[in-house]
Amino acid sequence: MSRGYSAAVSRLIANQEQRYAFPAPDAGLQASMPHVIHQHFTVAGESRSLQAPAWGDYVGRILDFPVSRTQREFGFRGEIDTYVLSDMIYLDSRTDALSQSRTNARISRDSVRDYVFHVAVEGIMETATGTVKERKSAQFVPGILALDMGQSMHMVRPTWSRVLAFFLPRAMVEEEIPDAESLHGQVVGYTTPLTRLVLDRVTSLCHGLPTMQQEEAEQSIRVCAGLILAAFKKQSRRSAGAHAAIQTATRNQIRDFIEINLRDGELTTETILRAFPIPRPTLYRMFEHEGGIGTYIRNRRLREAAAELVTASHVSIMEIAYGWSFGSPSDFTRAFRRAYGVAPQDFRALGVDLLRN
């Protein structure tokens, strides 16, 4: 390693350590406050048939873990060490083959919205993300997998595996990486000096953490988390131009889809999400300047209805309301008045030229 590169690495580590340093507590409290709370869980003490269910009960707080007949019959090896810091969590998990998922139903029932970065130390993982067109991220080649706990996923580990996981607060990640939810399912490989440094530091953490003192353990976890964020931030910057072009094309496709289905009463946010494999937050942000996706659809319907009021005077207001998928003529009248300041019948009587508005 060159002297210049060594200096650059030292500066990067120092910057990450400074960024994730805690403010010093009061002197009287400092001695009694733990920097890292360590918890150990294992199913080894359970009978063979109860080992997998015990694991399911433990991870069931955030994940669905179906217990198979084989796991009940032959047992299941699983243990996990959890290191809790004030604003992040680090896990070291060792398990037999398993399948686990985080569904939309699960997401709707809890408030876990962290980002988690998985490092496969032993074994392999295949993770599918996306509800319509699945994107599979296979960690057969070592790397770091990013997952957004606010989005669905299904993970399979077909062999014994050891996985390290860094749970970082949503605000921390989104401060560093714009459009962070697009990280969901992405893998960063160990192909650059920065990512090879990540591998070196994470490997040292994995092997050395059990014997570290509190301060050293906290510092090591924070440095690794900072380096992982830096690696994904760098990758995100490289793909930002292409990502923006894809988003523009997708937004235009969604607008076309809305136009085609504008009269369909079944046209909703869920319909669009089923038709386009994008995260829900991304869809909302695409139409944020329009007041949201629901508001955009309603306003498009109102605009078409207003044009019909003027150009099709023989069609009743009730027919127009139902034709543009409003629940009732009164719902249509209230929405129309809010949008145009007058009732539909007055708008028609005035013969307003909609194209001037």
Side-chain angles (χ1 to χ4, degrees), residues 30-279:
Q30 192 167 9
S32 61
M33 289 177 61
H35 293 263
V36 179
I37 300 174
H38 175 217
Q39 303 168 342
H40 178 74
F41 171 79
T42 179
V43 300
E46 302 289 342
S47 63
R48 180 179 297 178
S49 63
L50 294 179
Q51 288 172 342
W55 182 266
D57 288 342
Y58 188 77
V59 301
R61 294 170 291 181
I62 59 173
L63 295 170
D64 294 319
F65 173 73
V67 178
S68 69
R69 184 186 306 174
T70 299
Q71 289 168 337
R72 289 186 184 275
E73 183 176 353
F74 295 100
F76 176 82
R77 292 177 298 169
E79 60 180 334
I80 187 167
D81 284 282
T82 305
Y83 297 85
V84 182
L85 283 65
S86 65
D87 57 349
M88 68 179 68
I89 296 174
Y90 167 74
L91 304 181
D92 185 340
S93 171
R94 288 87 69 195
T95 67
D96 278 336
L98 58 74
S99 170
Q100 57 191 18
S101 61
R102 186 160 168 80
T103 62
N104 287 328
R106 164 73 61 179
I107 293 168
S108 70
R109 295 196 301 268
D110 65 33
S111 59
V112 179
R113 297 297 183 269
D114 292 346
Y115 288 89
V116 57
F117 298 88
H118 281 194
V119 182
V121 178
E122 297 178 49
I124 56 178
M125 295 188 295
E126 183 175 87
T127 305
T129 57
T131 55
V132 181
K133 295 181 180 178
E134 289 187 342
R135 174 173 66 184
K136 290 188 177 180
S137 302
Q139 288 184 277
F140 297 96
V141 178
I144 305 168
L145 169 68
L147 293 172
D148 175 1
M149 295 297 281
Q151 300 184 50
S152 61
M153 67 89 181
H154 178 70
M155 177 180 292
V156 176
R157 302 178 191 169
T159 63
W160 166 266
S161 61
R162 182 176 187 178
V163 176
L164 313 179
F166 294 81
F167 284 77
L168 306 186
R170 198 169 194 88
M172 178 187 294
V173 178
E174 293 180 346
E175 180 182 353
E176 294 293 330
I177 304 174
D179 195 27
E181 71 270 6
S182 66
L183 296 177
H184 190 55
Q186 289 189 24
V187 176
V188 165
Y190 305 123
T191 57
T192 68
L194 175 57
T195 54
R196 286 194 290 270
L197 171 62
V198 173
L199 176 60
D200 177 67
R201 300 294 292 194
V202 169
T203 301
S204 297
L205 176 69
C206 176
H207 296 304
L209 189 57
T211 60
M212 290 181 185
Q213 297 298 315
Q214 287 277 336
E215 293 84 353
E216 184 184 4
E218 178 189 5
Q219 182 184 61
S220 296
I221 293 171
R222 290 187 177 279
V223 167
C224 288
L227 291 172
I228 289 171
L229 267 185
F232 276 94
K233 183 177 181 179
K234 186 173 182 178
Q235 176 172 281
S236 179
R237 282 201 301 265
R238 286 199 302 267
S239 61
H243 181 67
I246 292 171
Q247 286 232 334
T248 298
T250 302
R251 182 167 54 248
N252 290 338
Q253 289 176 340
I254 292 173
R255 289 179 185 272
D256 291 343
F257 179 83
I258 290 171
E259 292 302 309
I260 293 170
N261 296 280
L262 200 56
R263 285 186 179 272
D264 186 352
E266 299 299 318
L267 177 63
T268 63
T269 300
E270 299 304 322
T271 308
I272 296 169
L273 287 172
R274 285 195 296 270
F276 295 89
I278 59 174

